[in-house]
Amino acid sequence: MAAPESGDGNNGAARMVTLISSDNTRFEVEAAAASLSQTLQLTILDGGGGGGDGIPLPNVDSATLSKVLEYCIKHAPAAANGGAPNATAVDRAELERFDNEFVNIDQSVLYSLIMAAHNLEIEGLQSLVAKKVADMIKGKSPMEIRRTLGFPDPTPEEQAEMNAHMLEYGWAYE
Amino acid sequence: MEDDTETAVPDDALAGIFGRLPPHTLAACRCVCKAWRALIDARGLLLPHALPHALRGIFINYIDYPRPGLFFARPSASTRHGIINGNDLLGYLPASTSSDISVLDHCNGLLLYGGARELYVVNPATRQWERLPPLPADASEYLAYLVFDPAVSLHYEVFLIPRVPHKKSRRFRLKKKDKKSRRWYLKDDTAPATSFNRSWCFSTDNSASCAEVSTEMEHSEEQAKFSPSSLQVMEEAVLYPTRQASSSSSSWEGHFDDPYRLMEWPPPSCTVQVFSSVTKRWEQRSFVREGEAVGTVEDVRLDSFPWMYLGPRRRYAVYWRGALYVHCQAMHEYFCTFIIANYFCRLSMINPKYKVIATPIGIEEGKSGRSYLGKSENGVYFATFCDYYLLRVWILNESCDNTKWVLMHDIDLESSALWAALHLNNHRKIDGPWILDEDNNDSDDVNNVVPTPYFEWDSDDDNVLGYEDKDEYEHAYIYLLGFHPYKEVVFLMASYIGIAYHLNSSKVQYLGKLYPRDYDLSSVRGVHESFPYTPCLLGGLSGIRQ
């Protein structure tokens, strides 16, 4: 990755950037890790986030941001290798183990991660959380999906509508 | 996740989740809430699952056979993905009182089903159906065609295309004897077909017939007052118009009082009855002719076939890229193809046009040959047989305002592997991979026929036959069942054997036997109509449920 003119990260110590969560917690993280976010990448390439400035992230709270950065730090080396073509099987298995562990979390955290991954445009994390939610609801009926995701129980009208739409795709339930 | 926060999940994130789901869970998600349903529909996420882009079998109506729409297909253990078994097929439709019920048309997964007095639109894959409102006119004057493209819209339309007016023959019609008495009787009526006159807006000065139209219409409004017994009489009159008339029709040769004889054909504009699933009613739609007239009604009319002549059918239609192509024939035989152009423009009533394209064969050949209009890999195809075994296939080329038929294949089936299929059946009596799905009341029998469930017919590799010579005295009447919708393959029936013939490689595949068990195989019978079926698993028939 080409370093910006003002950057000093290519010699020895990696360049660091500072991210500021919605509750004003500052996170210092390697630029390479933060750059997994498409949203942040441009700012960082422009030399932002260095020194005392920091990049404010008003949509992400500190708990979520620390979780997101945990993901980014773990995945940054592989991403720097251009999708890790020369990664060993061990490395890949380790990442996979990490991912599985990573999304084994409370639903509210998972929800925050979906939003953060979307806002920050972190492709790998988006896929990971989408896959997690898909696995949670796979094979379930509409009611079970609602319960799994903590939707309130449907009103009688909503229930009737659900039943009506069930008929439309009768083939899918056989 | 709370409901209100759930709605905050961005569409792209939701779509990312939905994209990882199997079809049945995706369908379940569609029921979870309005927002999800809207997203799944707007992005067409179920479309790839709903339109498997596969041929599942062929619906066949046999002549003089009580059960319409037998399904010839490779059987499957599952009804998922539009594979249909036995009584599931059309058995859920209300019992019909008419004897003339059959499969009338197929378009992208929907079937048009019914007879002269009732029409249903059916999706066999989802087992949903809808009965159309009463037909706006005497249905015996029309043929009904279905237009449906689920990739564009879940709405469909049904077109009633008028037949070319046939020469007056003695037809029995219901006439009101006396307005006050409310009694009706059958009259040997030589009046022109009035519904035809209503639907084709001729530029004619024949005011006499116009006047007659208005009185007829007045009468028809009172049809609701028929007593049941007279209804029955009328049905017979419509269904068997020449039963009594045929004896006298041969002597009916005069042209002098034929009001249609010198009219321009096709007319400068034509009005077609259309049922739209959007408005839920029949409406009239006018189309202006593009291009020159072919001639007069007399020129195009063929009188050689009696009304009773039942088949095989030669009036198929193809819906392709927004246009409906109707093989249009006088009586049962003619050489023109209709294009009713710009279907989706027509929906907005902009510039509705139609034009006539001559089929690649001449009138004389059209009289004797067996022709078929269909849809296959590259668009609109026309096939015809002559001299029993010569199969010719054209494709319609519509580039740059120049519409022409291009001859693609000229095949002599007499020297093909087709005979191997017949020998296979004659000598070994084996069952093919496809079976004719009949009434499954005696399911033991059917189970014997199908020892193992098959999941998918391989249109390339299953039951490919080597070449065998035709025996000297061997003969087969070959009938074209239809085109494979996605490959250049034709489905043939030869002596009640189903065969797939690959147009490019001449490969022949044996499919299976094609005679219903209790069917009398006398020579005048056979297949009347056949429709290759491609399932559409999209639900809803525009939202109407049974």
Side-chain angles (χ1 to χ4, degrees):
Chain A
M1 187 181 310
E5 289 161 27
S6 61
D8 52 3
N10 271 359
N11 318 323
R15 182 189 162 205
M16 304 297 279
V17 292
T18 304
L19 307 176
I20 306 164
S21 70
S22 61
D23 45 359
N24 275 321
T25 309
R26 297 173 74 88
F27 292 82
E28 204 179 15
V29 62
E30 283 184 22
S35 293
L36 287 192
S37 156
Q38 297 291 316
T39 318
L40 295 177
Q41 198 177 47
L42 279 180
T43 316
I44 293 169
L45 280 177
D46 282 347
D53 291 347
I55 304 169
L57 301 172
N59 294 326
V60 189
D61 63 31
S62 57
T64 309
L65 187 54
S66 95
K67 191 82 180 151
V68 168
L69 291 178
E70 185 190 339
Y71 175 89
C72 291
I73 290 163
K74 189 75 185 176
H75 280 261
N81 285 340
N86 49 7
T88 64
V90 177
D91 287 345
R92 266 183 271 126
E94 163 60 17
L95 268 187
E96 199 172 308
R97 191 202 56 78
F98 169 86
D99 282 353
N100 287 338
E101 197 69 16
F102 184 79
V103 288
N104 194 9
I105 44 176
D106 193 68
Q107 235 178 68
S108 60
V109 182
L110 185 62
Y111 169 73
S112 307
L113 275 182
I114 292 173
M115 301 304 280
H118 178 77
N119 289 330
L120 295 171
E121 292 181 68
I122 304 168
E123 206 181 312
L125 185 57
Q126 285 175 310
S127 305
L128 182 61
V129 291
K131 182 171 175 299
K132 171 66 179 176
V133 179
D135 286 343
M136 285 163 60
I137 62 178
K138 207 170 272 181
K140 294 196 159 115
S141 72
M143 269 313 283
E144 289 165 343
I145 292 171
R146 286 186 73 108
R147 292 202 181 110
T148 303
L149 300 183
F151 286 27
D153 280 343
T155 63
E157 292 82 45
E158 284 174 326
Q159 182 67 57
E161 203 180 343
M162 281 169 71
N163 293 344
H165 287 289
M166 288 282 285
L167 284 177
E168 289 178 355
Y169 287 84
W171 54 269
Y173 305 108
E174 286 166 8
Chain B
M1 266 174 261
E2 298 300 315
D3 204 12
D4 51 347
T5 54
E6 165 270 324
T7 54
V9 173
D11 282 356
D12 287 338
L14 269 178
I17 295 168
F18 293 152
R20 288 173 167 76
L21 293 172
H24 57 279
T25 310
L26 190 53
C29 283
R30 199 176 162 277
C31 304
V32 162
C33 66
K34 249 189 197 121
W36 286 22
R37 182 158 54 248
L39 178 67
I40 289 168
D41 288 352
R43 301 206 177 184
L45 297 178
L46 270 163
L47 269 181
H49 307 295
L51 300 169
H53 208 68
L55 176 84
R56 289 295 179 223
I58 302 172
F59 281 100
I60 300 174
N61 297 321
Y62 286 87
I63 297 167
D64 282 347
Y65 189 69
R67 287 194 297 276
L70 294 187
F71 193 53
F72 181 55
R74 183 159 198 167
S76 161
S78 162
T79 55
R80 189 177 292 177
H81 304 313
I83 302 166
I84 307 153
N85 285 316
N87 288 337
D88 294 341
L89 183 56
L90 299 166
Y92 44 84
L93 291 171
S96 172
T97 50
S98 305
S99 57
D100 67 333
I101 293 288
S102 63
V103 175
L104 299 169
D105 198 13
H106 166 262
C107 189
N108 292 323
L110 288 190
L111 289 184
L112 188 64
Y113 181 79
R117 295 157 52 107
E118 55 194 328
L119 287 179
Y120 298 88
V121 173
V122 187
N123 186 339
T126 61
R127 294 179 217 172
Q128 290 174 313
W129 55 274
E130 182 172 30
R131 184 177 179 158
L132 303 191
L135 297 174
D138 179 0
S140 65
E141 302 289 343
Y142 298 92
L143 282 167
Y145 299 100
L146 192 57
V147 167
F148 176 61
D149 187 354
V152 177
S153 162
L154 286 183
H155 283 288
Y156 63 84
E157 294 191 327
V158 176
F159 283 76
L160 294 186
I161 307 287
R163 299 170 191 270
V164 171
H166 41 83
K167 190 162 72 178
K168 279 187 305 175
S169 58
R170 288 171 182 270
R171 298 183 63 228
F172 284 83
R173 301 179 60 84
L174 276 172
K175 278 285 183 183
K176 196 170 181 187
K177 188 180 185 181
D178 178 347
K179 269 200 168 177
K180 286 173 189 166
S181 72
R182 298 253 180 264
R183 283 181 58 210
W184 299 72
Y185 63 97
L186 284 175
K187 183 185 175 188
D188 183 358
D189 182 15
T190 52
T194 54
S195 51
F196 169 84
N197 214 355
R198 259 183 280 157
S199 51
W200 293 74
C201 302
F202 287 111
S203 51
T204 169
D205 54 2
N206 192 338
S207 54
S209 68
C210 290
E212 185 157 15
V213 171
S214 59
T215 51
E216 282 287 321
M217 287 178 76
E218 193 181 307
H219 286 190
S220 65
E221 283 163 12
E222 298 192 35
Q223 281 186 358
K225 294 165 190 164
F226 274 131
S227 68
S229 60
S230 58
L231 263 182
Q232 201 174 359
V233 174
M234 186 179 84
E235 184 176 47
E236 284 185 8
V238 170
L239 294 182
Y240 309 107
T242 57
R243 182 178 280 171
Q244 297 96 332
S246 55
S247 59
S248 59
S249 62
S250 56
S251 61
W252 189 262
E253 296 296 337
H255 289 296
F256 50 88
D257 57 353
D258 178 351
Y260 298 133
R261 188 165 64 93
L262 296 177
M263 286 177 185
E264 198 177 51
W265 196 92
S269 79
C270 89
T271 304
V272 175
Q273 300 280 352
V274 183
F275 175 82
S276 158
S277 66
V278 179
T279 61
K280 304 263 181 286
R281 58 188 172 83
W282 292 97
E283 55 203 41
Q284 291 199 340
R285 213 172 284 173
S286 291
F287 297 89
V288 176
R289 187 186 70 213
E290 219 176 32
E292 294 300 303
V294 172
T296 63
V297 166
E298 187 176 33
D299 293 336
V300 302
R301 186 160 57 189
L302 297 174
D303 296 325
S304 56
F305 288 97
W307 240 84
M308 287 292 280
Y309 182 72
L310 257 178
R313 165 173 168 153
R314 287 135 204 233
R315 280 198 55 162
Y316 290 97
V318 167
Y319 179 63
W320 172 257
R321 294 194 177 155
L324 180 67
Y325 300 76
V326 181
H327 192 188
C328 181
Q329 299 150 325
M331 305 287 277
H332 286 268
E333 189 70 58
Y334 186 54
F335 74 108
C336 281
T337 299
F338 261 109
I339 293 188
I340 294 182
N342 303 323
Y343 161 58
F344 290 103
C345 291
R346 274 183 283 133
L347 279 182
S348 56
M349 305 307 279
I350 300 166
N351 202 18
K353 285 185 286 198
Y354 84 105
K355 67 176 172 180
V356 172
I357 303 168
T359 61
I361 56 173
I363 300 178
E364 287 309 310
E365 192 177 339
K367 279 181 188 173
S368 58
R370 287 149 285 153
S371 52
Y372 187 98
L373 180 74
K375 179 168 68 174
S376 189
E377 189 177 356
N378 295 309
V380 181
Y381 287 66
F382 186 85
T384 184
F385 281 104
C386 60
D387 293 339
Y388 290 107
Y389 302 122
L390 291 178
L391 170 66
R392 283 183 293 164
V393 179
W394 290 263
I395 184 166
L396 190 63
N397 186 330
E398 286 188 282
S399 55
C400 336
D401 291 342
N402 185 16
T403 304
K404 62 179 182 195
W405 293 99
V406 180
L407 182 65
M408 301 295 284
H409 304 281
D410 197 345
I411 296 159
D412 184 3
L413 291 171
E414 194 162 9
S415 53
S416 76
L418 176 125
W419 303 99
L422 298 181
H423 299 163
L424 190 70
N425 180 67
N426 290 343
H427 303 319
R428 288 189 249 155
K429 304 282 179 202
I430 66 158
D431 288 305
W434 288 34
I435 61 163
L436 198 56
D437 213 339
E438 301 181 58
D439 202 340
N440 278 357
N441 288 335
D442 43 358
S443 55
D444 287 348
D445 193 10
V446 172
N447 287 340
N448 291 338
V449 174
V450 196
T452 49
Y454 296 92
F455 290 100
E456 185 88 42
W457 174 66
D458 185 332
S459 68
D460 287 324
D461 295 326
D462 287 357
N463 295 67
V464 177
L465 298 173
Y467 177 78
E468 279 180 40
D469 272 333
K470 170 177 173 290
D471 293 343
E472 192 180 353
Y473 299 109
E474 205 167 17
H475 177 73
Y477 184 84
I478 302 175
Y479 175 79
L480 208 149
L481 291 172
F483 288 95
H484 192 297
Y486 307 118
K487 294 176 180 178
E488 287 204 334
V489 172
V490 287
F491 295 100
L492 307 173
M493 183 179 87
S495 304
Y496 291 93
I497 301 297
I499 291 158
Y501 186 90
H502 293 245
L503 292 170
N504 293 311
S505 64
S506 308
K507 192 159 68 181
V508 168
Q509 287 175 279
Y510 174 64
L511 298 179
K513 293 173 184 172
L514 263 172
Y515 47 83
R517 271 166 295 158
D518 51 350
Y519 194 45
D520 176 9
L521 298 182
S522 63
S523 60
V524 295
R525 300 178 182 204
V527 168
H528 181 215
E529 295 154 303
S530 47
F531 304 93
Y533 168 67
T534 54
C536 167
L537 297 159
L538 278 173
L541 282 184
S542 64
I544 289 103
R545 289 167 293 277
Q546 43 182 302

